[in-house]
Amino acid sequence: MPTLIALAGLPGTGKTSIAQALTRRMGAVLLRIDAIDAAIWQVDPAREGQGESYLIAGAIAVSNLGLGLSVISDCVNPWPVTRDVFLTAAAQAGARHLGVELICSDPVEHRRRVQSRISDLPGFRVPSWPEVLARDYLPWCDADLQIDTARTSISDAVTRIAQALG
């Protein structure tokens, strides 16, 4: 059964690295919100932070789930309303939904990751450490799975997610 795996977590927690490795392992469709945002901002820089990218990703998810493909959403996914976009997309397509929150419990490591990031997307600016700390992010208390990337390697995180899928 196709599954929508919705990742969540602050920048620098390893979402993109895990999403890419999981996509390769599963042969799934990757929906990277940063790529959608970068394209929107190239057309209209004033649109930064407006949230259209979540609705676009949800619509693309429904289309791919309907084709029988699993989908992985790679995004901060900071609030219940953004998480509901993916829950609704899975329901609309008759697919499973797995919510995975990634955290980095080691603040020194988290800061190092954020400060060493370089954007691989034209038009996308990675956030600074103060911007990450100031980010409005609500912990996902009822996520199906929570992974601490300060203590879990990318390959082990992918294995845990795959095991949660059954």
Side-chain angles (χ1 to χ4, degrees), residues 149-163:
T149 62
R151 295 173 170 59
T152 308
S153 69
I154 292 169
S155 62
D156 287 345
V158 168
T159 298
R160 285 190 58 198
I161 294 167
Q163 288 171 342

Side-chain angles (χ1 to χ4, degrees), residues 82-145:
T82 59
R83 296 165 191 157
D84 285 347
V85 167
F86 299 109
L87 189 60
T88 300
Q92 286 176 347
R96 289 178 31 186
H97 176 274
L98 181 73
V100 181
E101 182 177 42
L102 302 175
I103 63 164
C104 182
S105 64
D106 180 342
V108 173
E109 173 61 12
H110 192 184
R111 182 178 186 159
R112 184 198 65 75
R113 291 178 188 176
V114 169
Q115 291 179 327
S116 65
R117 283 179 68 193
I118 298 170
S119 177
D120 61 339
L121 299 167
F124 185 79
R125 183 186 64 80
V126 297
S128 67
W129 179 242
E131 288 170 326
V132 170
L133 291 177
R135 188 86 186 234
D136 182 12
Y137 180 89
L138 299 174
W140 195 355
C141 300
D142 61 345
D144 299 300
L145 186 61

Side-chain angles (χ1 to χ4, degrees), residues 20-31:
Q20 289 173 345
L22 186 61
T23 297
R24 282 188 211 93
R25 178 173 173 162
M26 294 178 60
V29 173
L30 175 61
L31 296 178

